[in-house]
Coordinates of all heavy atoms in Angstrom, one line a residue:
P36 N 52.5 83.1 11.1 CA 51.8 83.3 9.8 C 50.4 82.6 9.9 O 50.3 81.6 10.6 CB 52.6 82.7 8.8 CG 53.5 81.7 9.5 CD 53.7 82.3 10.8
I37 N 49.4 83.2 9.3 CA 48.1 82.6 9.3 C 48.0 81.4 8.3 O 48.4 81.6 7.2 CB 47.0 83.6 9.0 CG1 47.0 84.7 10.1 CG2 45.6 83.0 8.9 CD1 45.9 85.8 9.9
L38 N 47.6 80.3 8.8 CA 47.3 79.1 8.0 C 45.8 79.0 7.7 O 45.1 78.7 8.6 CB 47.9 77.9 8.7 CG 47.6 76.5 7.9 CD1 48.5 76.5 6.7 CD2 48.0 75.4 8.9
T39 N 45.4 79.2 6.5 CA 44.0 79.0 6.2 C 43.6 77.6 6.1 O 44.5 76.7 5.8 CB 43.7 79.7 4.8 OG1 44.3 79.1 3.8 CG2 44.1 81.2 4.9
L40 N 42.4 77.3 6.2 CA 41.9 75.9 6.1 C 42.2 75.3 4.7 O 42.6 74.2 4.5 CB 40.4 75.8 6.4 CG 39.8 74.4 6.3 CD1 40.5 73.4 7.2 CD2 38.3 74.5 6.6
K41 N 42.0 76.1 3.7 CA 42.3 75.7 2.3 C 43.7 75.3 2.1 O 44.1 74.3 1.5 CB 41.9 76.8 1.3 CG 42.0 76.4 -0.2 CD 41.5 77.4 -1.1 CE 41.7 77.0 -2.5 NZ 41.3 78.1 -3.5
D42 N 44.6 76.2 2.6 CA 46.0 75.9 2.5 C 46.4 74.6 3.3 O 47.2 73.8 2.8 CB 46.9 77.1 3.1 CG 46.8 78.3 2.2 OD1 46.4 78.1 1.0 OD2 47.1 79.4 2.7
A43 N 45.8 74.4 4.5 CA 46.1 73.2 5.3 C 45.7 72.0 4.5 O 46.4 71.0 4.5 CB 45.4 73.3 6.6
V44 N 44.5 72.0 3.9 CA 44.0 70.8 3.1 C 44.9 70.6 1.9 O 45.3 69.4 1.6 CB 42.6 71.0 2.7 CG1 42.2 70.0 1.7 CG2 41.6 71.1 3.9
E45 N 45.3 71.6 1.2 CA 46.2 71.4 0.1 C 47.6 70.8 0.5 O 48.1 70.0 -0.2 CB 46.4 72.8 -0.6 CG 45.2 73.3 -1.4 CD 45.4 74.6 -2.0 OE1 46.4 75.2 -1.8 OE2 44.5 75.1 -2.8
I46 N 48.1 71.3 1.6 CA 49.4 70.7 2.1 C 49.2 69.2 2.4 O 50.1 68.4 2.1 CB 49.9 71.5 3.3 CG1 50.3 73.0 2.9 CG2 51.1 70.9 3.9 CD1 50.6 73.9 4.0
A47 N 48.1 68.9 3.1 CA 47.9 67.5 3.5 C 47.7 66.6 2.3 O 48.2 65.5 2.2 CB 46.6 67.4 4.4
L48 N 47.0 67.1 1.3 CA 46.8 66.3 0.1 C 48.1 66.0 -0.7 O 48.3 65.0 -1.3 CB 45.8 67.0 -0.9 CG 44.4 67.1 -0.4 CD1 43.5 67.9 -1.4 CD2 43.8 65.7 -0.2
K49 N 49.0 67.0 -0.5 CA 50.3 66.8 -1.2 C 51.3 66.0 -0.4 O 52.1 65.2 -1.0 CB 50.9 68.2 -1.4 CG 52.3 68.2 -2.1 CD 52.9 69.6 -2.3 CE 54.2 69.6 -2.9 NZ 54.8 70.9 -3.0
N50 N 51.3 66.1 1.0 CA 52.3 65.4 1.8 C 51.9 64.2 2.6 O 52.7 63.4 2.9 CB 52.8 66.5 2.8 CG 53.5 67.7 2.1 OD1 53.9 67.6 0.9 ND2 53.6 68.8 2.8
N51 N 50.6 64.1 2.9 CA 50.2 63.1 3.8 C 50.6 61.7 3.4 O 50.4 61.2 2.2 CB 48.6 63.1 4.0 CG 48.1 62.2 5.1 OD1 47.8 61.1 4.8 ND2 48.2 62.7 6.3
Y52 N 51.2 60.9 4.3 CA 51.7 59.6 4.0 C 50.6 58.6 3.7 O 50.8 57.7 2.8 CB 52.5 59.1 5.2 CG 53.8 59.8 5.4 CD1 54.2 60.2 6.7 CD2 54.6 60.1 4.3 CE1 55.4 60.8 6.9 CE2 55.8 60.8 4.5 CZ 56.2 61.1 5.8 OH 57.4 61.8 6.0
N53 N 49.5 58.6 4.4 CA 48.4 57.7 4.1 C 47.9 57.9 2.6 O 47.6 56.9 2.0 CB 47.2 57.9 5.0 CG 47.6 57.4 6.4 OD1 48.4 56.5 6.6 ND2 47.0 58.0 7.4
I54 N 47.8 59.1 2.2 CA 47.4 59.3 0.8 C 48.4 58.8 -0.2 O 48.1 58.2 -1.2 CB 47.2 60.8 0.6 CG1 45.9 61.3 1.4 CG2 46.9 61.1 -0.9 CD1 45.7 62.8 1.2
Q55 N 49.7 59.0 0.1 CA 50.8 58.5 -0.8 C 50.7 57.0 -0.9 O 50.9 56.4 -2.0 CB 52.1 59.0 -0.3 CG 52.3 60.5 -0.4 CD 53.7 60.9 0.1 OE1 54.7 60.2 0.1 NE2 53.8 62.2 0.5
L56 N 50.5 56.3 0.3 CA 50.4 54.9 0.3 C 49.2 54.4 -0.6 O 49.3 53.4 -1.4 CB 50.3 54.3 1.7 CG 51.6 54.5 2.6 CD1 51.2 54.1 4.0 CD2 52.7 53.6 2.0
S57 N 48.1 55.1 -0.4 CA 46.9 54.7 -1.2 C 47.1 54.9 -2.6 O 46.6 54.2 -3.5 CB 45.7 55.5 -0.6 OG 45.3 55.1 0.7
Q58 N 47.8 56.0 -3.0 CA 48.0 56.3 -4.4 C 48.9 55.2 -5.0 O 48.7 54.8 -6.1 CB 48.7 57.7 -4.5 CG 47.8 58.8 -4.3 CD 48.5 60.2 -4.3 OE1 49.7 60.2 -4.0 NE2 47.8 61.3 -4.6
N59 N 49.9 54.8 -4.3 CA 50.8 53.7 -4.8 C 50.0 52.4 -4.9 O 50.2 51.6 -5.9 CB 52.0 53.5 -3.8 CG 53.0 54.6 -3.9 OD1 53.0 55.4 -4.9 ND2 53.8 54.7 -2.9
N60 N 49.1 52.1 -4.0 CA 48.3 50.9 -4.1 C 47.4 50.9 -5.2 O 47.1 49.9 -5.9 CB 47.6 50.6 -2.7 CG 48.5 50.3 -1.6 OD1 49.5 49.7 -1.8 ND2 48.0 50.6 -0.4
K61 N 46.8 52.1 -5.5 CA 45.9 52.3 -6.6 C 46.7 52.1 -7.9 O 46.2 51.5 -8.9 CB 45.3 53.7 -6.6 CG 44.6 54.1 -7.9 CD 43.4 53.2 -8.2 CE 42.7 53.6 -9.4 NZ 43.5 53.5 -10.7
A62 N 47.9 52.6 -8.0 CA 48.8 52.5 -9.2 C 49.1 51.0 -9.4 O 49.1 50.5 -10.6 CB 50.0 53.3 -9.1
I63 N 49.4 50.3 -8.3 CA 49.6 48.8 -8.5 C 48.4 48.1 -9.0 O 48.6 47.3 -10.0 CB 50.1 48.2 -7.1 CG1 51.4 48.8 -6.7 CG2 50.1 46.7 -7.2 CD1 51.8 48.4 -5.3
A64 N 47.3 48.4 -8.5 CA 46.0 47.7 -9.0 C 45.8 48.1 -10.4 O 45.4 47.2 -11.2 CB 44.8 48.1 -8.1
G65 N 46.1 49.3 -10.8 CA 45.9 49.7 -12.2 C 46.9 49.0 -13.2 O 46.5 48.6 -14.3
N66 N 48.1 48.9 -12.7 CA 49.1 48.2 -13.5 C 48.8 46.7 -13.7 O 49.2 46.1 -14.7 CB 50.5 48.3 -12.9 CG 51.0 49.7 -12.9 OD1 50.6 50.5 -13.8 ND2 51.9 50.1 -12.0
N67 N 48.0 46.1 -12.8 CA 47.7 44.7 -12.9 C 46.6 44.4 -13.9 O 46.4 43.2 -14.2 CB 47.3 44.2 -11.5 CG 48.4 44.0 -10.5 OD1 49.6 43.9 -11.0 ND2 48.2 44.1 -9.2
V68 N 45.9 45.4 -14.4 CA 44.8 45.2 -15.3 C 45.4 45.1 -16.7 O 45.4 46.0 -17.5 CB 43.7 46.3 -15.2 CG1 42.6 46.0 -16.1 CG2 43.3 46.5 -13.8
T69 N 45.8 43.9 -17.0 CA 46.4 43.6 -18.4 C 45.9 42.2 -18.9 O 45.6 41.4 -18.0 CB 47.9 43.6 -18.4 OG1 48.4 42.5 -17.6 CG2 48.5 44.9 -17.8
L70 N 45.9 42.1 -20.2 CA 45.5 40.8 -20.8 C 46.5 39.7 -20.4 O 46.1 38.6 -20.1 CB 45.3 40.9 -22.3 CG 44.2 41.8 -22.8 CD1 44.3 41.9 -24.3 CD2 42.9 41.3 -22.4
G71 N 47.7 40.1 -20.3 CA 48.8 39.1 -20.0 C 48.6 38.6 -18.6 O 48.7 37.4 -18.3
N72 N 48.3 39.5 -17.6 CA 48.1 39.1 -16.2 C 46.8 38.2 -16.1 O 46.8 37.4 -15.2 CB 48.0 40.3 -15.3 CG 48.2 40.0 -13.9 OD1 48.8 39.0 -13.5 ND2 47.6 40.8 -13.0
A73 N 45.8 38.4 -17.0 CA 44.6 37.6 -16.9 C 44.8 36.2 -17.6 O 43.9 35.4 -17.4 CB 43.5 38.4 -17.6
G74 N 45.9 36.0 -18.3 CA 46.1 34.7 -19.0 C 45.7 34.6 -20.4 O 45.7 33.5 -21.0
F75 N 45.4 35.8 -21.1 CA 45.0 35.7 -22.5 C 46.2 35.5 -23.4 O 46.0 34.9 -24.5 CB 44.3 37.0 -22.9 CG 42.9 37.1 -22.4 CD1 42.5 37.7 -21.2 CD2 41.9 36.7 -23.3 CE1 41.2 37.8 -20.8 CE2 40.6 36.8 -22.9 CZ 40.2 37.3 -21.6

Side-chain angles (χ1 to χ4, degrees):
I37 295 179
L38 176 68
T39 65
L40 177 58
K41 183 178 180 180
D42 289 341
V44 170
E45 288 178 352
I46 294 172
L48 291 177
K49 180 180 178 182
N50 297 340
N51 186 267
Y52 291 136
N53 289 332
I54 292 178
Q55 292 179 27
L56 290 172
S57 292
Q58 287 173 335
N59 289 341
N60 291 334
K61 168 62 179 67
I63 292 172
N66 290 337
N67 286 336
V68 185
T69 64
L70 294 175
N72 195 25
F75 280 93

